[in-house]
Amino acid sequence: MQLFSTGPPWWKSMRYRIVLMGFFGMTNIFIQRSNLSMAIVCMVNHTAVDLTAHQQQSSLEKVSKNHTKMISYEAHRYANLSAESLNETSVLESDDVNAPYSTSSCNSPIQANDLNREDGEYNWSKDMQGLLLGALYWGYVPLQILGGYLMTRFGIRRTVGPCMFAMSILTLLTHAAALISPWALFVLRILLGTTNAMGMPGMFFILTTWGPSEEKGRLLSIIFCGNFVSNVLIFPIAGLLCSYGFAGGWPSIFYVSGIANLIWCVFWYFIVYDSPLTHPHIHPKEKEYIVASLKLTSKSSTERKSRKGAPWRHIFTSLPVISVICAQFSMNWGMYLILSSLPLYMREILKFDVKSNGLFTMLPFISMWFVLSLSGMASDWTSRRFGLAVARKSATIVGQVIPAILYIIVSYLDCESIPLVMALLCISIGLMATNFVGPIVNFFDIAGEHVGQVMTLSNTISNIPGILTPYIVAEFTKDNTREQWQHVFFLTAGLMCFCSLMFVVFSKYSTQHWAVEITVEPEENEKLNEL
């Protein structure tokens, strides 16, 4: 295609404006996902939660000690031991009750007054915090397939706009829900997840009618960057709002993010239309270029409805599909662990205050954004030089095995090694961006015209870690110790290594037989019918 036939320059191009709306839409969606993980650090009275947990644990230990002392007393009495010896033993045992908590400043589970920590008003247990952090994915995971169906049925303009508007309203109601009860907030987060499930596919469906074949990779990377920019923005801004925001601090996080999304909705209806064929303000040359590249017609929606459905039996039994779903599952596990629990980890183990927490939490995502910008070029060079197999497998190893090793190293460090911990986290999260040019791109290698259905299936399964990781953290880190967080990092590292090995062994790099559309000419079709 000649350069002049692509229409006006990119800064005047309608397709780039619409892709930019997809970028900001992705940014807003992930801000709504992440805002609670930062705000909950300010909402919860962590001192009260820690004290309650350890009082319960101490009570159990005291009961156990008293029972032991009674048995010991009877044994000593029958052995005619002196009362003085028994008293000394009791004193030693009484001292031992508090021994586990007289640890160093970095490992102490209760430090109510250090580093100017600011506790919130809610005494929510670790289990409740995990439930709230994972609630959004209860609504998000099962409804993605429905979201994809609605896009094809009603178009992106009429589906994404209302869903994102509803997302804004729910975010603005978060403060009120938290005031009612944690269960009201839980239900609200589930509803927020349903709007995520409807809006998220729309950011990628934009490319089906607005992304020329020659530019799909470039436009897709622009939309994907919204994921990382959201984390770069929300963590430091939320940290500042926690301390200096209106309405009591943490509520302003949800008011600001909700209002920002409402503004996006207004621009969405002014700028975005379902295709170049229906857009009233697109340049004629750009319209001609996109229509020719994608072979769009006014009957395209009818043609899509008449196509044969996806071969689900072959998809579910395909080892290449299973391997790529497995790789995406472990990638999301590692990412969601950091996305939902990094602020808590930095508070409990690295002993950061709220403002420092927000600033330092964004650093790994800046690293990820930087690596993603370079990984596309690196993957293209590797593909040309060594082939697709090497490019996809090496990207997966770099994006999962190396971060898994770094997670294990991080698990042995604490607040005495903060610079090293932050450096390792930045490297590990940054390298995980290479998965987008490894297993994620592999969908397009193997699935042919069914790539949309396969990606929707994979996204449904691979987002289950969004539900599981907050619960795993809550269950494993009852006492907020480094040793307990080690279990979380070791589990994550093992899962990432296993799934990346699955991908390296079983992945393929050409269109599978079940994804090849066999076209039959009318004359041949008549002959087949006569047989």
Side-chain angles (χ1 to χ4, degrees):
M1 190 71 66
Q2 297 295 325
L3 186 61
F4 68 85
S5 65
T6 63
W10 69 267
W11 60 88
K12 296 181 180 179
S13 167
M14 189 58 65
R15 66 184 181 278
Y16 275 92
R17 292 179 188 175
I18 290 175
V19 166
L20 194 61
M21 288 299 300
F23 164 81
F24 284 115
M26 183 73 76
T27 302
N28 274 310
I29 287 173
F30 275 86
I31 283 177
Q32 315 311 317
R33 290 191 191 184
S34 306
N35 53 17
L36 182 61
S37 65
M38 187 63 201
I40 203 168
V41 177
C42 312
M43 297 168 69
V44 172
N45 190 326
H46 298 280
T47 302
V49 172
D50 291 342
L51 285 171
T52 301
H54 290 291
Q55 284 172 357
Q56 293 173 350
Q57 182 177 350
S58 297
S59 298
L60 292 174
E61 290 181 353
K62 286 178 181 178
V63 171
S64 177
K65 291 291 185 181
N66 289 335
H67 182 66
T68 302
K69 285 191 289 184
M70 289 178 64
I71 296 174
S72 177
Y73 174 78
E74 293 296 327
H76 287 317
R77 185 165 65 86
Y78 284 113
N80 296 321
L81 291 177
S82 64
E84 290 80 10
S85 175
L86 180 59
N87 290 334
E88 290 175 2
T89 303
S90 299
V91 170
L92 289 174
E93 289 174 345
S94 178
D95 291 340
D96 287 341
V97 172
N98 296 323
Y101 305 109
S102 57
T103 55
S104 68
S105 61
C106 284
N107 295 321
S108 175
I110 302 178
Q111 295 183 24
N113 298 319
D114 64 341
L115 294 178
N116 297 319
R117 288 187 184 168
E118 300 176 5
D119 282 324
E121 60 264 42
Y122 298 111
N123 189 7
W124 294 339
S125 67
K126 293 280 290 187
D127 290 335
M128 178 56 70
Q129 293 176 51
L131 194 68
L132 293 173
L133 289 172
L136 181 142
Y137 295 94
W138 285 94
Y140 177 72
V141 169
L143 292 181
Q144 287 188 85
I145 295 176
L146 176 61
Y149 168 77
L150 292 176
M151 300 298 158
T152 58
R153 181 71 176 82
F154 300 105
I156 56 175
R157 179 179 168 87
R158 287 187 293 172
T159 304
V160 174
C163 289
M164 296 290 282
F165 179 80
M167 186 188 303
S168 303
I169 300 302
L170 290 170
T171 302
L172 293 172
L173 292 174
T174 302
H175 181 203
L179 291 174
I180 297 171
S181 76
W183 293 109
L185 180 58
F186 177 75
V187 172
L188 183 140
R189 294 292 292 183
I190 292 177
L191 294 175
L192 195 65
T194 63
T195 61
N196 265 245
M198 303 298 177
M200 183 73 167
M203 302 305 115
F204 299 105
F205 268 79
I206 286 174
L207 297 180
T208 60
T209 54
W210 284 96
S213 302
E214 301 85 353
E215 301 177 7
K216 259 192 171 58
R218 185 189 318 162
L219 300 178
L220 182 64
S221 65
I222 293 174
I223 294 175
F224 259 127
C225 280
N227 179 350
F228 312 120
V229 171
S230 65
N231 297 304
V232 171
L233 292 175
I234 187 60
F235 288 118
I237 293 176
L240 292 173
L241 290 175
C242 269
S243 300
Y244 308 112
F246 56 91
W250 65 262
S252 61
I253 297 174
F254 301 103
Y255 289 126
V256 169
S257 55
I259 292 171
N261 202 35
L262 280 177
I263 295 172
W264 179 90
C265 291
V266 174
F267 281 95
W268 173 266
Y269 280 109
F270 275 107
I271 296 175
V272 177
Y273 284 77
D274 286 338
S275 80
L277 295 168
T278 58
H279 204 294
H281 306 301
I282 188 172
H283 192 280
K285 286 190 175 296
E286 183 182 11
K287 178 179 178 180
E288 181 182 358
Y289 164 59
I290 298 174
V291 169
S293 177
L294 299 178
K295 298 180 174 61
L296 297 176
T297 66
S298 59
K299 299 179 181 180
S300 58
S301 60
T302 305
E303 292 172 355
R304 282 198 298 270
K305 293 177 188 176
S306 64
R307 286 179 181 174
K308 187 179 180 181
W312 290 113
R313 181 174 64 85
H314 293 290
I315 291 174
F316 281 116
T317 57
S318 170
L319 278 177
V321 171
I322 294 173
S323 70
V324 74
I325 291 176
C326 186
Q328 188 180 5
F329 182 92
S330 61
M331 177 195 77
N332 282 351
W333 185 288
M335 289 181 62
Y336 285 143
L337 173 68
I338 298 301
L339 191 64
S340 64
S341 302
L342 184 58
L344 289 175
Y345 172 77
M346 296 178 75
R347 176 193 177 274
E348 295 174 354
I349 305 302
L350 302 186
K351 312 302 181 186
F352 279 7
D353 61 27
V354 171
K355 293 182 287 295
S356 297
N357 198 334
L359 292 172
F360 280 93
T361 304
M362 76 174 181
L363 293 179
F365 297 101
I366 293 177
S367 174
M368 199 174 201
W369 187 9
F370 175 76
V371 173
L372 180 63
S373 303
L374 300 178
S375 58
M377 294 183 291
S379 178
D380 290 343
W381 180 85
T382 306
S383 300
R384 290 193 299 267
R385 187 74 180 271
F386 303 104
L388 278 179
V390 174
R392 304 289 188 253
K393 291 180 181 180
S394 61
T396 306
I397 292 172
V398 170
Q400 298 209 35
V401 176
I402 296 178
I405 296 172
L406 296 180
Y407 276 168
I408 293 175
I409 297 174
V410 166
S411 71
Y412 285 96
L413 303 174
D414 55 27
C415 64
E416 294 179 348
S417 308
I418 287 178
L420 179 58
V421 171
M422 293 308 304
L424 293 177
L425 285 176
C426 287
I427 294 171
S428 59
I429 299 301
L431 291 178
M432 290 182 71
T434 62
N435 284 282
F436 290 99
V437 294
I440 302 302
V441 175
N442 191 236
F443 285 115
F444 295 92
D445 299 332
I446 65 175
E449 68 168 1
H450 302 296
V451 64
Q453 293 95 324
V454 176
M455 287 190 74
T456 302
L457 171 66
S458 181
N459 283 333
T460 300
I461 298 173
S462 62
N463 276 285
I464 293 176
I467 298 174
L468 296 181
T469 51
Y471 302 153
I472 294 294
V473 170
E475 186 63 30
F476 282 14
T477 61
K478 296 290 188 182
D479 300 321
N480 307 335
T481 64
R482 178 176 61 83
E483 290 74 14
Q484 291 176 343
W485 275 92
Q486 276 184 333
H487 299 312
V488 176
F489 283 117
F490 269 83
L491 175 63
T492 302
L495 183 65
M496 292 170 68
C497 288
F498 173 78
C499 290
S500 60
L501 178 63
M502 281 277 295
F503 180 81
V504 168
V505 173
F506 296 110
S507 58
K508 299 296 182 183
Y509 310 97
S510 59
T511 305
Q512 299 299 288
H513 66 90
W514 45 264
V516 176
E517 183 181 10
I518 301 175
T519 57
V520 180
E521 297 298 329
E523 296 81 2
E524 296 178 359
N525 192 33
E526 292 177 4
K527 293 179 181 179
L528 289 173
N529 291 332
E530 293 174 358
L531 296 177

